[in-house]
């Protein structure tokens, strides 16, 4: 028994004849007769009495008619809702905290211009949390700065980035043109929380060179990290993109590694079984507009060396 069976049965009951039902359903009269016969065999009841070439609905037929109308009403509502869903497009975008703070708003605005009817949902957290949400289909796609190693996730590098050490202009290191990595052990740091891709990259660097890190602050919020830099004499290892305004205004002095250890990419990440929609293609294209960080020309930058 199918929705088609119920539609034809209701047309027969309401029109009173097989021929009229056939015309309304744009099918042949024998097909209508076959459908009614299949329903009667399925439920093992007679749905119509055939007297003097006229149809009279039985008590069993009346019960089926009442239920069939309700089922068809719900089915039509389902069809209408799904048609509306086809007209609306949704994209659930995850972002790690650095990406969320420095790029996500601009990217979403660009997406809205390309897809005015697109409904977006954005979720910002650290790399490990974003990874879990992608694996459990709670997000469609994400932009992350951390390393994703799960075999079920595809990572496409889309944006260039690099870490810097950031200090306030009054900090002792702001006066040094070149700093040895061992010197960092004597200063307080404000660090991202565990699970952060930024923190892992910097901690791996210090571990490689045998340098301890004196953590005075841990924070997930970029503004809190900036405050600890500006007002509490802390050093932070952060994306250069987070500090573009503060560097341009002269509030913050940055120190860059002489090696390429701190160069990295922001990745577009999605599940390998996920359908890569038009909106996701657009998102990938938009990210390339933000390929390189923007810093003032002739900016005085300190250098960190391990030699």
């Amino acid at each position: 028994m199918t929705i088609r069976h119920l539609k034809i049965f209701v047309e027969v009951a309401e029109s009173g004849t097989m021929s009229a039902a056939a015309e309304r359903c744009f099918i042949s009269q024998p097909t209508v007769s076959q459908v009614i016969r299949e329903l009667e065999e399925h439920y093992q009841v007679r749905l119509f009495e055939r007297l003097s070439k006229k149809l009279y609905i039985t008590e069993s037929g009346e019960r089926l008619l009442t239920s069939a109308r309700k089922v068809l009403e719900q089915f039509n509502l389902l069809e209408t809702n799904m048609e509306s869903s086809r007209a609306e497009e949704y994209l659930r975008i995850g972002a790690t905290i650095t990406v969320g703070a420095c790029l996500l708003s601009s990217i979403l605005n660009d997406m809205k211009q390309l897809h005015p009817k697109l409904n977006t949902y954005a979720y910002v957290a650290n790399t490990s949390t974003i990874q879990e949400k992608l694996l459990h289909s709670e997000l469609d796609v994400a932009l992350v700065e951390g390393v994703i190693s799960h075999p079920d996730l595809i990572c496409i590098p889309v944006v260039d980035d690099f870490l810097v050490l950031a200090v306030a202009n009054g900090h002792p290191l702001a006066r040094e043109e070149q700093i040895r990595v061992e010197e960092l052990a004597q200063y307080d740091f404000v660090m991202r929380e565990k699970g952060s891709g930024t923190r892992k990259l910097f901690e791996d660097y210090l571990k490689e060179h045998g340098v301890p890190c004196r953590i005075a602050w841990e924070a997930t919020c970029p503004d809190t990290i900036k405050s600890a830099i500006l007002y509490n004499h802390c050093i932070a290892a952060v994306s250069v993109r987070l500090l573009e305004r503060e560097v341009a205004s002269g509030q913050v002095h940055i120190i860059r590694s002489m090696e390429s250890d701190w160069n990295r990419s922001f990745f577009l990440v999605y599940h390998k079984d996920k359908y890569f929609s038009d909106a996701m293609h657009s998102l990938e294209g938009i990210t390339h507009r933000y390929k390189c960080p923007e810093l003032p020309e002739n900016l005085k930058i300190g250098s960190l060396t391990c030699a």
Side-chain angles (χ1 to χ4, degrees):
M1 192 270 292
T2 64
I3 290 292
R4 178 174 177 270
H5 283 83
L6 294 182
K7 285 182 176 179
I8 293 171
F9 165 71
V10 170
E11 289 294 347
V12 172
E14 291 180 348
S15 65
T17 67
M18 299 278 189
S19 58
E23 287 182 13
R24 292 184 183 182
C25 296
F26 302 101
I27 56 178
S28 67
Q29 185 171 329
T31 300
V32 174
S33 299
Q34 176 66 24
V35 166
I36 299 302
R37 186 160 54 252
E38 289 172 357
L39 278 171
E40 290 180 330
E41 290 173 357
H42 179 77
Y43 290 114
Q44 297 185 348
V45 295
R46 184 173 291 278
L47 299 174
F48 296 98
E49 293 288 352
R50 299 158 181 83
L51 305 174
S52 302
K53 298 183 179 181
K54 291 184 179 181
L55 290 180
Y56 297 91
I57 193 166
T58 64
E59 186 175 340
S60 295
E62 288 285 2
R63 284 200 296 272
L64 180 60
L65 180 61
T66 299
S67 297
R69 283 172 171 156
K70 292 178 181 178
V71 170
L72 291 176
E73 182 181 355
Q74 289 300 309
F75 178 76
N76 290 334
L77 181 61
L78 170 65
E79 292 284 279
T80 300
N81 287 340
M82 292 311 294
E83 286 173 5
S84 298
S85 294
R86 281 202 304 270
E88 295 181 351
E89 193 174 7
Y90 295 88
L91 188 64
R92 301 169 300 170
I93 305 171
T96 45
I97 290 170
T98 298
V99 179
C102 62
L103 289 181
L104 187 59
S105 292
S106 297
I107 288 172
L108 288 178
N109 286 338
D110 291 346
M111 283 291 290
K112 187 60 71 174
Q113 289 183 357
L114 276 181
H115 300 273
K117 294 184 179 180
L118 178 67
N119 294 300
T120 58
Y121 164 78
Y123 181 86
V124 178
N126 63 32
T127 302
S128 58
T129 301
I130 294 296
Q131 176 174 292
E132 287 303 307
K133 287 192 172 291
L134 287 168
L135 290 170
H136 290 90
S137 196
E138 295 176 40
L139 294 170
D140 299 313
V141 66
L143 291 165
V144 307
E145 80 260 18
V147 175
I148 298 286
S149 58
H150 198 284
D152 288 342
L153 297 178
I154 293 174
C155 301
I156 303 171
V158 289
V159 174
D160 295 334
D161 187 49
F162 56 88
L163 294 189
V164 294
L165 293 180
V167 296
N169 273 331
H171 193 282
L173 292 183
R175 298 189 293 270
E176 303 292 332
E177 291 186 8
Q178 193 172 84
I179 300 143
R180 291 178 57 84
V181 65
E182 293 85 357
E183 294 179 55
L184 299 179
Q186 60 186 299
Y187 296 106
D188 288 342
F189 273 81
V190 52
M191 295 284 281
R192 285 282 308 279
E193 79 291 352
K194 290 183 178 180
S196 156
T198 296
R199 175 168 176 163
K200 185 177 188 310
L201 179 59
F202 184 62
E203 285 187 330
D204 287 348
Y205 174 83
L206 292 181
K207 185 177 180 181
E208 180 184 347
H209 295 288
V211 177
C213 184
R214 199 164 80 189
I215 301 176
W217 287 61
E218 284 188 271
T220 59
C221 174
D223 284 340
T224 301
I225 293 172
K226 291 178 186 179
S227 293
I229 295 169
L230 293 172
Y231 307 116
N232 299 97
H233 307 292
C234 288
I235 308 174
V238 294
S239 165
V240 67
R241 292 176 179 272
L242 278 178
L243 300 166
E244 289 176 351
R245 285 196 296 266
E246 288 77 14
V247 170
S249 67
Q251 293 178 283
V252 167
H253 175 75
I254 59 176
I255 302 158
R256 190 172 182 183
S257 172
M258 295 289 287
E259 304 157 32
S260 58
D261 304 66
W262 297 353
N263 292 349
R264 64 179 183 177
S265 295
F266 292 165
F267 294 91
L268 185 77
V269 186
Y270 61 97
H271 196 283
K272 64 182 179 64
D273 297 327
K274 185 73 178 177
Y275 169 67
F276 204 77
S277 66
D278 289 343
M280 290 166 68
H281 276 291
S282 294
L283 178 65
E284 181 184 358
I286 286 169
T287 57
H288 292 300
R289 302 177 187 176
Y290 302 90
K291 184 71 174 173
C292 299
E294 296 181 3
L295 289 174
E297 293 184 11
N298 303 317
L299 178 68
K300 184 179 178 182
I301 297 176
S303 61
L304 183 71
T305 177
C306 60

